[in-house]
Amino acid sequence: MASITKSYEPRDVEGKWYAAWQTAECFAGRVDPAKQSYSIVIPPPNVTGVLTMGHVLNNTLQDILIRRARLEGKEAMWLPGTDHAGIATQTVVERELRKQKLHRRDLGREKFLEKVWSWREEKGGIILKQLQALGASCDWSRTQFTMDPHYSQAVLNVFVDLFAKGHIYRGKRMVNWCPVSLTALSDEEVIMKPAKGFLYQVRYERVDAPGEFITVKTTRPETIPGDVAIAVHPDDPRYAGWIGKKVRRPLGPTAEIPIIADSAVDKDFGSGALKITPAHDKVDFEIGQRHKLPPIDVLNADGTLNDLAGPELAGLDRFAGRKKAAELLKERGALVKEEPYENNVGFSERADVPIEPRLTWQWWLKYPRVEEAKAAVRDGHIKFHPERWSKVYLHWLENIQDWCISRQLWWGHRIPVWYRKGLDKEKLTEAELRDPTKVHVSLAGPADPQNWVQEDDVLDTWASSWLWPFATLGWPDAAKMKERGYEYFYPTSTLVTGPDIIFFWVARMIMAGLEYTHEGQPLEKRIPFKDVYFTGIIRDQQGRKMSKSLGNSPDPLDLIAKYGADGLRFGIVSIAPQGQDIRFQEDRIETGKNFCNKLWNACRFRQMSGDSADNSSLAAVLARLDAAKFDADDHAILDRLLATTRAVEEAFAKFEFSNAVQTLYGFFWNDFCDWYVEVSKAKLQDASTKDNCLAIQDLVLRQTLLLLHPFTPFITEELWHLLGYGTDAQFLMRDVRIEKETELVAALAARGVKVDTAAAAAVGSLKELTSQVRAFKADNGEAAKKDSQFVVEASDAQWALLEANLAKLKRMMGAAEVARGKMSPNAPVCVTPLGSWNLIRQLKAGDTAAEKARLTKELETVSKHIAGTEARLSNEAFVSKAPPAVLEGARKQLADQKAKKAEVERLLASLG
């Protein structure tokens, strides 16, 4: 057995074990009817993507779940892959073409797509390699790409089927439009940003009463030529005589437009009048439809103004047109006021320009299985963690609108629709759209392609990724489904994703799964996953979302190089409470590294303390235990080991990963290293107790490595082998099963070991006193002193316990003397509460002022803590989102803080 080196070198260990795991095919998910299956499909990152802190958190949590499932004896499969990311990928390649002074249209569709595929082969999928550096144990042999031939067939198959079922239609509707990428965008591809501009008050003159005006406010005067009406609220008394009258449009071709009444108008905003421009605003479009007002589109697709805007504005960019429109209005006396204004504007995520609401012909989908999708979550077939997201999900489904599934791009799944040559597709009626002599819809295309023209548009990226959980398992090809274990691994077990795509991806996957899998079977067999864990958003210390553009996000690969993959994983999970946004702190990642070093050093100390006997199995370790030689500390460490095992089990069941990490940290650092290892040093010098003590340490370290493995896989695999827990042919991550708390209790009982909980509680009381004394010494600049003297006020039972362990306690506290005393009402003393104990110190002349200063400072500190905790508990957002355990902990913390404040105030009062 190799010796454990003095220091832990993550890079060497990580490279060695990841290569070994891959060579031994440890990540492979195989169909094994003797085992329970556990499967996760990765949320496919964009093929253009690189590793971000969000990816680190999301994929670390997935890896934690998949590794824990393996330890529990399940057949675990984590399926990786990438999304073709239509607009993102096309944007990247077009940017490269622009450097050569080329446009995609210069190449033509076929040549441009060749360029995209070439780019994808050369640079796409980098993120998957980066995930390996993080330790992701995906079954890489199953890697999928949403443009793979089989997957593409599945996507187009669904389009053809849903068209045949009447769910897909073509219509002219309002969409988010990117004037740079020249395509419709999903809401998810639109980023709201604050933008500074101007608010213009414009007056419209009444036709039948010259000199009378109605005033509106707008941020976009360049769209006035597209106005078709002015709307007021029907109950607004100011305009009782105006409804039905007409006003003159002050810009663009001369026109008289009506004043209409509509309850959608906010009569309390501004003048209570709203200009209606149906072609350029979603609300206006809806109002226009209700009143049968034809839209006037004054913008070209690229954001320039067209001839309908009038000769003064035609040809201008929309922003130049805005400035020109304001000048024209001013010249004509129609501009009442112009004032600076800031509002939120939607920007194209990729092109980073303001989007335009635009009326265009698009393909639309009426969602299938909406009611079943509601029932799947409402009735608990799919559980959301945190549960509060189920309300958001159900609310969206209650108000669901048809999905725009077409994009004006070349990269993506080209819509399998062909039009008879010579037809104007924009004039086709719904009936003609379904006439096979005019429109052909199929996977193979028409038999006489020379007479047909294929649809230019491609499908929205989400219209492929909504099939991800089952198309990646071979659907609809029966042979591929059998080969990939569709019946065994579907439904998948858990999805880990962000709440920002709950509508765009999660809800749609649920509907797709219900529509296309296990037809005729119960709902629980057709859902795509059983649990959904929503991560929080990682933010900087100012609360801003981390992004490359803001320069506030560290490079995860730099963090791995600095702290090790295990340090990064442990640190990021420790600051990620369930479903809450995370304020990133690099020092917490350093804490993860420090914990790994502590683990390494503790295992090294164990190896240096004596030769290991047989550690090859749990039974072998247990066989070395001698219950007759157990003392209270032995019972205490096993009691804490069992409690920690149970707490981690409960944390996994509740998807409370940060609680699991913090529990393991506290147990290993405080209970094992700071206490048991220290008190063991005397026993290791005694031949009669040494072997039993080492056996207990081996048991604790074995179970600790198993509990920690999902969080810190590299160091635990290394130490597992260095401590002789497995053979060279075995791997902790694949070949070892973790024992549950109940199984450990039974295994100990079989060896005649039953934990003495009373003895464990007594040790807990001593540990409490010791930790409080250490903290007291640190607060008073005495941390390094070994000759401190303490007087403790204690009950008879407490003193009996303390006296029986006095030598050990003095060593653990760093004290020369610990005596029992009682507080005298009139004596100049200071009493410091230490948990359930009181520490008494005699005050000498001149000490009173110093003690008052110390207590005053302590009072200020505790008061600040109370104010902070009260603020959190009065914050409705925190209370509504925090898990019950977090709320309970905060309330207990507040009660403890108030009790401490009262005691400090009492002590201050006693000093006069």
Side-chain angles (χ1 to χ4, degrees):
M1 191 184 307
S3 296
I4 298 176
T5 57
K6 186 174 182 180
S7 61
Y8 175 52
E9 299 296 337
R11 183 173 297 183
D12 297 339
V13 170
E14 290 163 10
K16 177 180 78 173
W17 284 114
Y18 203 88
W21 292 332
Q22 284 192 297
T23 300
E25 298 183 348
C26 290
F27 305 154
R30 301 179 175 89
V31 174
D32 185 349
K35 291 182 179 181
Q36 179 183 345
S37 68
Y38 186 91
S39 55
I40 294 177
V41 290
I42 197 172
N46 288 355
V47 70
T48 59
V50 293
L51 198 64
T52 66
M53 292 307 297
H55 291 125
V56 168
L57 176 62
N58 186 287
N59 287 280
T60 294
L61 294 177
Q62 291 177 77
D63 197 44
I64 286 167
L65 287 166
I66 214 78
R67 288 178 183 273
R68 175 74 186 194
R70 291 191 189 104
L71 286 172
E72 290 175 349
K74 298 171 184 174
E75 185 60 34
M77 185 275 290
W78 183 11
L79 191 149
T82 52
D83 190 285
H84 67 279
I87 189 169
T89 305
Q90 182 159 316
T91 299
V92 168
V93 177
E94 285 189 298
R95 190 181 301 132
E96 293 298 312
L97 287 176
R98 282 198 295 274
K99 293 177 183 177
Q100 305 168 39
K101 301 190 183 316
L102 290 173
H103 188 277
R104 62 182 162 115
R105 298 194 183 279
D106 296 329
L107 299 181
R109 188 171 195 139
E110 188 175 333
K111 291 291 184 183
F112 175 76
L113 291 177
E114 288 177 7
K115 286 277 187 185
V116 180
W117 276 107
S118 176
W119 179 91
R120 186 258 176 181
E121 293 303 321
E122 181 183 350
K123 297 180 179 177
I126 289 174
I127 191 170
L128 298 184
K129 294 291 184 185
Q130 293 175 326
L131 286 175
Q132 295 181 10
L134 187 64
S137 58
C138 300
D139 184 347
W140 300 108
S141 69
R142 292 176 174 266
T143 301
Q144 302 278 299
F145 179 49
T146 52
M147 288 287 284
D148 284 342
H150 161 75
Y151 198 99
S152 295
Q153 283 295 103
V155 172
L156 300 180
N157 183 82
V158 165
F159 181 95
V160 172
D161 180 70
L162 289 174
F163 180 84
K165 290 174 178 175
H167 284 287
I168 289 178
Y169 64 95
R170 196 166 181 270
K172 193 172 187 180
R173 302 266 290 275
M174 186 71 71
V175 297
N176 302 313
W177 183 264
C178 177
V180 172
S181 302
L182 300 178
T183 182
L185 302 175
S186 68
D187 288 343
E188 193 272 338
E189 294 164 318
V190 176
I191 307 299
M192 300 305 294
K193 296 183 183 181
K196 292 181 179 179
F198 292 91
L199 186 63
Y200 304 89
Q201 287 189 36
V202 182
R203 64 181 190 173
Y204 294 63
E205 187 174 25
R206 188 163 156 173
V207 173
D208 65 336
E212 290 189 34
F213 298 89
I214 191 168
T215 302
V216 302
K217 289 184 177 182
T218 180
T219 58
R220 305 197 60 190
E222 74 278 11
T223 65
I224 287 176
D227 290 354
V228 297
I230 301 292
V232 297
H233 195 282
D235 299 331
D236 193 332
R238 292 172 294 180
Y239 302 113
W242 287 70
I243 297 169
K245 304 299 181 180
K246 290 187 176 182
V247 294
R248 287 189 180 87
R249 196 168 56 202
L251 268 186
T254 302
E256 297 176 358
I257 58 177
I259 295 178
I260 61 174
D262 195 287
S263 57
V265 178
D266 182 356
K267 60 184 179 181
D268 297 322
F269 177 75
S271 65
L274 180 69
K275 78 185 203 68
I276 304 303
T277 320
H280 301 290
D281 184 273
K282 290 182 179 180
V283 173
D284 292 4
F285 176 71
E286 293 169 1
I287 292 175
Q289 284 198 313
R290 283 197 291 273
H291 294 270
K292 296 182 171 55
L293 297 169
I296 301 172
D297 188 348
V298 300
L299 284 172
N300 295 312
D302 63 358
T304 57
L305 289 149
N306 61 32
D307 290 343
L308 294 177
E312 301 101 327
L313 299 178
L316 294 176
D317 174 77
R318 54 187 168 155
F319 300 114
R322 185 169 303 168
K323 186 176 180 181
K324 180 66 174 176
E327 292 172 358
L328 292 170
L329 289 168
K330 190 173 184 180
E331 289 173 8
R332 297 171 188 181
L335 184 61
V336 178
K337 189 177 180 182
E338 177 182 343
E339 56 187 330
Y341 185 70
E342 183 173 324
N343 63 333
N344 282 327
V345 173
F347 278 68
S348 167
E349 182 181 30
R350 298 297 168 188
D352 197 32
V353 296
I355 58 101
E356 285 291 337
R358 188 162 190 258
L359 274 175
T360 60
W361 283 97
Q362 302 287 345
W363 287 92
W364 300 84
L365 170 66
K366 298 174 184 175
Y367 287 98
R369 307 281 179 169
V370 174
E371 292 306 314
E372 279 194 317
K374 293 177 191 174
V377 172
R378 185 184 58 234
D379 300 343
H381 300 290
I382 299 173
K383 293 182 173 60
F384 285 177
H385 311 273
E387 195 277 332
R388 69 174 184 274
W389 288 111
S390 63
K391 296 176 184 176
V392 178
Y393 167 90
L394 291 170
H395 177 75
W396 182 74
L397 287 179
E398 289 292 343
N399 300 277
I400 198 167
Q401 296 182 0
D402 294 352
W403 174 12
C404 176
I405 58 172
S406 51
R407 295 291 181 270
Q408 289 65 56
L409 302 170
W410 286 355
W411 172 246
H413 299 99
R414 192 171 182 180
I415 292 175
V417 172
W418 286 259
Y419 305 97
R420 178 70 68 176
K421 277 186 177 178
L423 285 179
D424 184 348
K425 65 180 182 180
E426 296 196 357
K427 293 182 179 179
L428 289 172
T429 65
E430 180 63 21
E432 289 174 322
L433 194 66
R434 298 184 183 281
D435 181 348
T437 66
K438 296 180 178 178
V439 178
H440 180 91
V441 181
S442 75
L443 287 174
D448 53 339
Q450 69 276 10
N451 296 319
W452 299 83
V453 178
Q454 188 175 358
E455 171 66 69
D456 283 328
D457 292 355
V458 299
L459 289 169
D460 175 16
T461 295
W462 298 108
S464 58
S465 58
W466 76 321
L467 312 179
W468 188 251
F470 54 91
T472 51
L473 291 172
W475 183 93
D477 186 310
K480 282 187 169 63
M481 291 165 71
K482 184 176 180 181
E483 173 191 330
R484 298 180 185 179
Y486 168 85
E487 291 294 338
Y488 184 68
F489 289 117
Y490 188 91
T492 65
S493 305
T494 305
L495 176 73
V496 179
T497 189
D500 51 333
I501 54 174
I502 189 172
F503 313 131
F504 305 106
W505 194 45
V506 178
R508 289 167 176 170
M509 282 192 289
I510 292 171
M511 287 184 270
L514 293 169
E515 178 73 12
Y516 286 109
T517 65
H518 294 135
E519 184 178 356
Q521 294 195 35
L523 187 146
E524 59 268 20
K525 283 287 290 180
R526 293 182 287 124
I527 54 176
F529 27 71
K530 298 157 193 170
D531 290 281
V532 182
Y533 180 86
F534 293 105
T535 64
I537 295 172
I538 300 184
R539 302 184 182 277
D540 64 15
Q541 285 300 296
Q542 298 177 45
R544 301 174 303 172
K545 184 176 180 180
M546 283 190 160
S547 69
K548 286 187 290 184
S549 61
L550 287 176
N552 63 347
S553 178
D555 184 335
L557 295 182
D558 290 343
L559 294 178
I560 290 173
K562 188 174 181 181
Y563 301 111
D566 287 338
L568 175 57
R569 289 166 63 114
F570 194 90
I572 197 71
V573 174
S574 73
I575 58 174
Q578 188 187 80
Q580 294 186 51
D581 286 357
I582 300 134
R583 294 291 179 99
F584 179 76
Q585 299 166 270
E586 189 167 330
D587 59 350
R588 293 298 293 272
I589 308 303
E590 187 173 14
T591 297
K593 175 188 176 181
N594 293 341
F595 180 82
C596 290
N597 287 337
K598 187 81 167 179
L599 178 64
W600 185 265
N601 291 334
C603 291
R604 182 169 182 264
F605 176 78
R606 161 60 193 94
Q607 195 180 67
M608 294 169 63
S609 296
D611 292 337
S612 298
D614 187 359
N615 268 349
S616 61
S617 67
L618 175 64
V621 176
L622 291 173
R624 294 160 46 207
L625 297 180
D626 185 347
K629 294 181 178 178
F630 273 44
D631 63 15
D633 289 307
D634 297 329
H635 283 285
I637 194 61
L638 291 187
D639 181 67
R640 291 295 303 127
L641 178 67
L642 294 171
T644 299
T645 301
R646 180 174 66 253
V648 172
E649 289 169 13
E650 292 172 353
F652 270 100
K654 296 176 181 178
F655 291 82
E656 294 176 350
F657 305 107
S658 64
N659 285 358
V661 163
Q662 289 160 15
T663 296
L664 286 165
Y665 183 98
F667 165 73
F668 187 74
W669 199 292
N670 300 327
D671 297 318
F672 184 69
C673 294
D674 280 7
W675 187 267
Y676 189 72
V677 169
E678 291 302 317
V679 300
S680 293
K681 288 177 179 177
K683 290 191 280 188
L684 293 176
Q685 304 305 313
D686 186 337
S688 66
T689 57
K690 180 177 180 178
D691 288 346
N692 193 60
C693 181
L694 290 176
I696 292 172
Q697 288 192 17
D698 286 342
L699 174 62
V700 172
L701 287 171
R702 183 185 192 277
Q703 185 70 2
T704 299
L705 292 177
L706 288 168
L707 291 169
L708 280 170
H709 176 74
F711 304 96
T712 55
F714 293 110
I715 192 171
T716 49
E717 185 79 68
E718 176 79 352
L719 291 170
W720 184 265
H721 288 266
L722 289 174
L723 291 174
Y725 291 123
T727 66
D728 290 341
Q730 291 178 318
F731 293 94
L732 166 57
M733 71 150 292
R734 183 190 66 185
D735 302 316
V736 183
R737 184 175 174 276
I738 191 171
E739 283 75 24
K740 295 181 179 179
E741 182 221 8
T742 53
E743 293 171 325
L744 267 182
V745 170
L748 286 166
R751 281 293 302 157
V753 178
K754 183 178 180 181
V755 173
D756 184 337
T757 54
V763 171
S765 183
L766 295 174
K767 286 164 64 179
E768 176 194 33
L769 175 61
T770 301
S771 64
Q772 295 282 3
V773 167
R774 286 174 174 174
F776 172 83
K777 289 175 65 180
D779 290 343
N780 288 273
E782 301 177 18
K785 290 183 67 174
K786 301 295 182 184
D787 59 350
S788 301
Q789 297 186 355
F790 297 100
V791 177
V792 177
E793 184 178 36
S795 66
D796 289 344
Q798 285 178 318
W799 181 251
L801 173 63
L802 191 150
E803 196 172 29
N805 293 274
L806 206 52
K808 175 174 66 180
L809 283 176
K810 287 195 291 186
R811 186 174 71 253
M812 298 292 283
M813 292 176 180
E817 183 181 349
V818 179
R820 186 185 188 190
K822 201 162 190 178
M823 185 172 64
S824 172
N826 301 315
V829 299
C830 173
V831 180
T832 302
L834 300 180
S836 57
W837 311 79
N838 279 332
L839 178 66
I840 304 171
R841 289 183 298 129
Q842 189 80 19
L843 290 178
K844 299 175 184 177
D847 283 353
T848 303
E851 186 60 23
K852 277 185 176 181
R854 187 187 71 81
L855 289 171
T856 300
K857 185 177 179 181
E858 188 172 353
L859 184 61
E860 290 174 358
T861 301
V862 76
S863 296
K864 285 181 182 177
H865 286 317
I866 288 171
T869 307
E870 286 179 333
R872 288 172 70 206
L873 289 171
S874 62
N875 184 329
E876 187 177 340
F878 170 75
V879 173
S880 64
K881 294 179 181 179
V886 173
L887 280 177
E888 183 183 343
R891 291 182 181 122
K892 182 180 183 302
Q893 185 183 53
L894 180 60
D896 292 344
Q897 289 166 342
K898 286 183 174 180
K900 184 174 182 180
K901 180 182 179 183
E903 181 62 21
V904 173
E905 288 174 333
R906 184 186 69 78
L907 294 172
L908 268 172
S910 72
L911 293 175

